[in-house]
Structure formats: C-alpha cells, structure tokens
Amino acid sequence: MISASSIQSLFQEYFDAYSQQDAAGCASFYADDAQLFTSFGPPLIGASVIRGAHSEWFEEGEQNKTWALEYERSDANTCACLISFSSDVPTSSGGLERSTCHSLAALERDPNGQWTIQIMSMTLADAA
C-alpha cells in the first residue's frame, strides 16, 4: 500500500519536473505503455508520446501551476487518485486566464517496486 503522503511526494516531483519544463522528467512518471486522456486532443499512448505532448504544452506559455491531491485509495500494487490543478494560460488577446483541471489517475507498482502512472484522464473543470 502507498500512503497519501507518498502519493503527495510522487506528484510533487512530477509537478516540479513540470515547472522546470522537463518533458523527459514528466514522462518518467508514466509506465512505458501508459495512456493519457485530455480534453485538449486525442489520447496519448506510451511514455514517449506523453513526453512529446509535454514538450508541446510547455511551448504554450502556461504559468503558475498549482495542484492538490483530492483523493487517494490504494492497495499493495494499485492506487487511484484524483488531483486538481490550476494554472494561468495565455488567451488569444495576449492576457492570462486561470484554468482548472481535474485528473483521475491509476497507478501501479512496477516489478522494481516503483509506482508509475498507467492511466490518467485530465478533464477541464471550467469553460474557456
């Protein structure tokens, strides 16, 4: 079983990599065959595709990302959690607008004992 504090630490490391615009670092939290679903495009399948998507997202100019672990349940080898996050995103008029998303994630312990994201579904929580 993984504790809520361990999940908190894992996602803090993920968001630290995100804030450093480290696409490879972000992708390292995903299983090789992970699936990422977003409100912004087609499903992303595989850590290498997820890494490429992160690189593209960094170019969009998002700023001031904050996050919170809202829910976590786990057993010895699986974990489900809900994360909310907000950030300032550029608008077509050149300003910034605060946007909020929710991510439901399924994690599994890999053969080396490391927790990896198997599936993540990100949903835009507010209307753009």
Side-chain angles (χ1 to χ4, degrees):
M1 189 159 130
I2 187 169
S3 68
S5 64
S6 294
I7 289 291
Q8 185 86 19
S9 294
L10 182 137
F11 278 101
Q12 184 60 57
E13 291 176 28
Y14 174 84
F15 283 108
D16 286 347
Y18 196 96
S19 70
Q20 295 169 14
Q21 297 190 348
D22 178 0
C26 290
S28 73
F29 290 91
Y30 290 85
D32 289 340
D33 60 348
Q35 301 174 46
L36 175 58
F37 301 90
T38 75
S39 301
F40 314 109
L44 306 168
I45 310 298
S48 63
V49 173
I50 292 168
R51 181 183 64 230
H54 278 78
S55 292
E56 291 174 15
W57 295 339
F58 297 148
E59 293 174 10
E60 295 174 357
E62 179 182 54
Q63 300 175 22
N64 304 316
K65 190 166 213 143
T66 58
W67 70 280
L69 178 63
E70 304 290 347
Y71 172 89
E72 174 276 328
R73 290 293 183 269
S74 64
D75 61 23
N77 293 306
T78 60
C79 176
C81 57
L82 177 65
I83 299 160
S84 62
F85 58 92
S86 297
S87 58
D88 297 328
V89 294
T91 64
S92 58
S93 63
L96 292 172
E97 179 178 86
R98 195 78 176 155
S99 180
T100 299
C101 289
H102 300 290
S103 289
L104 182 60
L107 291 80
E108 291 182 2
R109 189 186 303 266
D110 72 14
N112 298 319
Q114 298 296 312
W115 287 91
T116 59
I117 302 168
Q118 293 291 321
I119 299 172
M120 184 178 284
S121 180
M122 296 188 329
T123 304
L124 190 59
D126 48 17

